[in-house]
Amino acid sequence: MSDTGGNPKTDYSPGLEGVLAGESALCQVDEGASGLRYRGYAIGDLAEQASFEEVAYLLLLGRLPTRKELDDFSAQLRAQWVLPGPVEAFIGVVPPDAHPMDILRTGVSLLGMTDPDAADGSHEANVRKSIRLLAQIPVLIASAYRLGHAKRQVQPSADLNFSENLLYMLTDRQGDKTARAMARVLDVSLILYAEHEFNASTFAARVAASTLTDLHAAITAAIGTLKGPLHGGANEAVAAMLLEIKSRDRAERWVREALASKRRVMGFGHRVLKQGDPRSAIIQRQAEILSRTCGDTRWYEIATILDRTMQQEKGLYPNLDFYTAVAYLLMGIPRDLYTPAFVCSRIAGWGAHVIEQQDHNRLIRPRALYTGPPPQTYVPLAQRT
Ligand code: SDX
């Protein structure tokens, strides 16, 4: 334990790599047999058999819902789709070239000012606020994007599930067989994106929550953190890379030249999962199937060549963002909405972490390894030459 002088108790690890920074019952990230689990449930089982709404319920309320509980949860989401007046007004004055993640960060902050539970930091209020954000964020993203791109506004439909509505609001696609296949893959991607232990954006939310600030403030910190290309911004960068490569016969040369020039190839590598991301194999399978359903295997073929070359040359494996970008390209989701789509899912994990942190709180305040100058003597200004 640190003594009264507060001397650091453990060795320094850059970027907190490998450091246990707290306790959590939400997610088990294990490169071993257990793999990735949300509250004990294997991610493969959830991706194959559950819906994203069931997974959001599991994370926020602590167990899988019964059929009636899930129906009530979905009805609760539908009832919160309306954006408050100030947020609608904000959408109308957003700078035309604002990045959707910046719009989202500011919009969520505004939602915090208008939330009916704004002054209530109790467990129950934080659950209500998380569910409200889960419903409002897709509408905020889609409304702002459509207004900014002179597209007609569309409202989510009570006849569609969460992912069908998200696909519809982002791409206008709904109702046909291909749209249903796309929405199912989108739902799997949202299940996979929902939670991942103490990743950078979640940890930012927990640090904020540990000061007992409000949930919206903690989520705003998480959104700002997720935007970075080393974290949530990677999926958007992977799509840009695939579009730049354009065809399978350019893929291997492109990636070899990128590595030769020491470039980061986005969508590969992970701070924790050095032997591969178990989520990647799941979304890769979905991207492959969707490629065939859509009759466009181009992006998937380029991706598999990059995947093979990166493993051969750098021993680096694709993370969740890599094949997700292939799937989102096929769905026609606008590229700068990929990370906002990540937020539509991760809000469930972030909300659950803020609730967990504040249920058993201790201020998060690590120490720094001092690397500054030795003790200095003050020289009065008049004497400084
Ligand atoms: C997410 O934490 C989470 O759980 C995050 C996430 C979640 O669900 O919340 O999983 C979501 O953020 C996934 C990661 C998305 N980011 C990217 O795809 C960006 C590209 N990846 C890298 O920048 C990198 O792999 C990180 C940031 C993800 C992890 O970096 P680390 O652990 O700090 O590793 P490092 O930067 O120290 O790299 C180690 C070596 C270096 O080579 P050397 O300098 O030692 O020769 O591997 C190389 C790096 O150059 N390397 C890469 C690379 N990633 C690492 N080289 C080329 N391309 C890459 N993508």
Side-chain angles (χ1 to χ4, degrees), residues 63-317:
R63 57 180 171 75
L64 285 173
T66 60
R67 173 79 262 172
K68 179 174 181 333
E69 288 169 332
L70 185 59
D71 291 344
D72 292 348
F73 184 70
S74 300
Q76 227 182 319
L77 290 173
R78 287 196 295 272
Q80 320 259 13
W81 277 333
V82 180
L83 294 178
V87 180
E88 291 282 7
F90 158 66
I91 290 172
V93 296
V94 164
D97 56 354
H99 190 287
M101 284 296 282
D102 297 340
I103 297 170
L104 188 49
R105 186 191 68 228
T106 307
V108 164
S109 200
L110 251 180
L111 285 168
M113 296 176 208
T114 55
D115 190 283
D117 286 311
D120 186 345
S122 67
H123 178 106
E124 294 70 22
N126 280 340
V127 171
R128 289 195 299 270
K129 287 190 265 192
S130 299
I131 294 170
R132 211 168 281 133
L133 281 172
L134 189 61
Q136 292 168 329
I137 283 174
V139 178
L140 170 57
I141 291 166
S143 303
Y145 186 81
R146 288 177 165 276
L147 190 64
H149 291 76
K151 292 174 180 290
R152 68 182 178 85
Q153 287 296 331
V154 295
Q155 294 306 316
S157 162
D159 301 329
L160 302 176
N161 66 30
F162 188 95
S163 296
E164 289 167 339
N165 265 314
L166 183 59
L167 181 73
Y168 172 49
M169 290 192 285
L170 298 186
T171 69
D172 271 313
R173 290 211 67 149
Q174 60 102 8
D176 60 282
K177 186 166 171 283
T178 304
R180 282 193 295 276
M182 289 176 172
R184 177 59 195 141
V185 176
L186 181 58
D187 204 65
V188 171
S189 80
L190 298 184
I191 290 170
L192 298 175
Y193 267 136
E195 157 61 8
H196 210 233
E197 199 214 58
F198 279 10
N199 60 85
S201 55
T202 296
F203 194 62
R206 287 199 74 134
V207 170
S210 79
T211 70
L212 299 185
T213 189
D214 63 278
L215 180 127
H216 285 81
I219 300 301
T220 302
I223 294 171
T225 306
L226 187 73
K227 178 186 172 189
L230 294 189
H231 187 18
N235 56 15
E236 183 182 325
V238 171
M241 172 176 68
L242 295 172
L243 290 164
E244 181 185 334
I245 294 170
K246 285 193 185 66
S247 68
R248 55 168 296 138
D249 54 18
R250 287 162 39 97
E252 182 160 351
R253 181 173 171 202
W254 188 96
V255 71
R256 289 185 185 282
E257 286 176 356
L259 291 175
S261 54
K262 295 288 184 199
R263 276 177 66 179
R264 292 254 160 168
V265 179
M266 306 313 265
F268 286 92
H270 198 279
R271 170 57 61 79
V272 175
L273 304 167
K274 297 300 185 190
Q275 301 313 313
D277 186 338
R279 302 169 298 178
S280 181
I282 297 170
I283 198 64
Q284 177 180 357
R285 177 84 182 115
Q286 295 295 324
E288 182 185 20
I289 294 166
L290 189 62
S291 299
R292 287 205 297 273
T293 305
C294 297
D296 181 359
T297 58
R298 175 182 32 163
W299 308 121
Y300 184 76
E301 288 172 7
I302 294 172
T304 51
I305 293 168
L306 299 182
D307 185 352
R308 187 182 64 244
T309 311
M310 284 296 282
Q311 289 190 43
Q312 283 168 359
E313 296 303 311
K314 289 288 280 189
L316 285 169
Y317 298 90

Side-chain angles (χ1 to χ4, degrees), residues 368-375:
L369 177 68
Y370 179 68
T371 60

